Amino acid sequence: MTDGDSDTPGLARRELLAGGLLAGTALGAVAASPAAAAGAADGGPGASGSASAGAALVPPTLASPTTFRFTYRHLSYFDFTPESSSSARAWSSSGGCYATTPSVLWASIEVPYGALVREIEWYAYNVSTGTVTALARLWRAGVSTLFVTVADTPITSGAGVRAFKSVVPEANFGPYPTGTKLLLGFPCDQGSQTIINGVRVGLSHGGAEAHVLPEPPRVFDTTATGGKLAANATLAITLAPAETLGTGGIGIVARITLSAGSAGGAFKIWRVGFPEPDVPQIYFGASTAVGEVTLPFWMDRRYNIRATRAVHVRIDLVARLT
């Protein structure tokens, strides 16, 4: 993007580019403290990943606690590029990049088809005399302006790089049609007084990534716990150990092995406290049957299992969906 014929550097010129007839809603900014974010950002309740040896290599970040069943996309300072052809991106030791002449730094992310953009969290530095507004706009193929305001975020003046989160209003969060993309703009009208460190976008209803385990661990086994699952009996189980399943994500892929059935039957697995599904996931005979089932992930790891015939049940974790 370039300035074109306009040499007005302020937000008014940018609003024209971004479709000024669509007024952006300035949402409340929340500055997340590192101490408050540390627990959930690195494996606490609601985190997107479990604690691991790698956590010791990376100190707690500014990121606020994640939201259960959201997936996240991140951009760093080097993903941004100046809107103006007369400007350049420069690095600052204060924690990110800025534009060398007044301009907006822009970056973009793909929004998976069907996904909803639920929250946008900026990591930014602003020691200018006033608040600046970080922009989130929707690009549409064939349209010269950024025609939809998703959510604008006030970046207030203060010391150091801080976190500012906006919750996207329901009217704006999608789903969007194909041929669209989310563009994120950070205004740099004050030189090195306004610096972009990065941004995190929270999505729901799409965008999950599958992380396949090289050696699927066993998380439940009736052959090791004293006997078969009884016919037509609902058994509440806890998948274990907890560290194998982690403390976050939106789902799991489980390989279920049914063996030594007393006769042919049907097997179901579902979340404790929810209605039993009408349709079984796996049918089995007297010989061993194996099937893979995708399940929503829950923090307590509690599921019901039920079979129409007595059978041994072994469950292995194949993949996590995060």
Side-chain angles (χ1 to χ4, degrees), residues 19 31 51 68 82 96 100 111 118 120 133 153 180-181 191 202 212 221 227 236 255 257 261 264-265 311 320:
F68 184 52
T100 55
V111 178
R118 303 299 296 274
I120 300 172
T133 302
T153 305
T180 57
K181 199 172 188 180
V212 179
D221 188 355
R255 178 182 300 136
T257 303
V311 68
R320 300 187 189 94

Side-chain angles (χ1 to χ4, degrees), residues 248-290:
I250 64 171
I252 60 173
V253 179
R255 178 182 300 136
I256 299 174
T257 303
L258 306 172
S259 61
S262 59
F267 173 86
K268 298 178 182 179
I269 180 170
W270 71 98
R271 161 70 171 153
V272 167
F274 282 63
E276 179 180 344
D278 294 330
V279 179
Q281 290 102 331
I282 303 174
Y283 293 92
F284 60 91
S287 58
T288 298
V290 180

Side-chain angles (χ1 to χ4, degrees), residues 217-220 238-245 301 315:
R218 182 143 298 166
V219 292
F220 180 77
T238 301
L239 303 184
E243 57 268 24
T244 296
L245 285 97
R301 300 169 282 113
I315 303 177

Side-chain angles (χ1 to χ4, degrees), residues 186-270:
F186 186 79
C188 291
D189 291 343
Q190 308 294 327
S192 60
Q193 292 184 326
T194 51
I195 294 170
I196 177 64
N197 177 268
V199 64
R200 182 183 78 179
V201 177
L203 307 170
S204 68
H205 296 74
E209 296 179 345
H211 302 273
V212 179
L213 282 70
E215 296 183 8
R218 182 143 298 166
V219 292
F220 180 77
D221 188 355
T222 60
T223 65
T225 58
K228 293 181 180 181
L229 173 65
N232 294 309
T234 299
L235 177 65
I237 64 173
T238 301
L239 303 184
E243 57 268 24
T244 296
L245 285 97
T247 57
I250 64 171
I252 60 173
V253 179
R255 178 182 300 136
I256 299 174
T257 303
L258 306 172
S259 61
S262 59
F267 173 86
K268 298 178 182 179
I269 180 170
W270 71 98

Side-chain angles (χ1 to χ4, degrees), residues 134-194:
L135 312 173
R137 298 287 191 270
L138 203 64
W139 165 84
R140 185 177 69 179
V143 177
S144 60
T145 60
L146 303 180
F147 77 116
V148 168
T149 296
V150 178
D152 288 347
T153 305
I155 309 297
T156 58
S157 181
V161 175
R162 293 169 294 145
F164 303 86
K165 183 166 73 174
S166 287
V167 176
V168 178
E170 184 176 355
N172 296 0
F173 63 41
Y176 310 122
T178 57
T180 57
K181 199 172 188 180
L182 181 65
L183 268 71
L184 299 153
F186 186 79
C188 291
D189 291 343
Q190 308 294 327
S192 60
Q193 292 184 326
T194 51

Side-chain angles (χ1 to χ4, degrees), residues 6 16 21 26 43 51 62 64 78 99 110 114 118 162 180 228 239 244 251 283 303:
S6 172
L16 178 63
L21 69 165
L62 281 177
S64 63
F78 286 129
E110 295 285 351
R118 303 299 296 274
R162 293 169 294 145
T180 57
K228 293 181 180 181
L239 303 184
T244 296
Y283 293 92
Y303 298 88

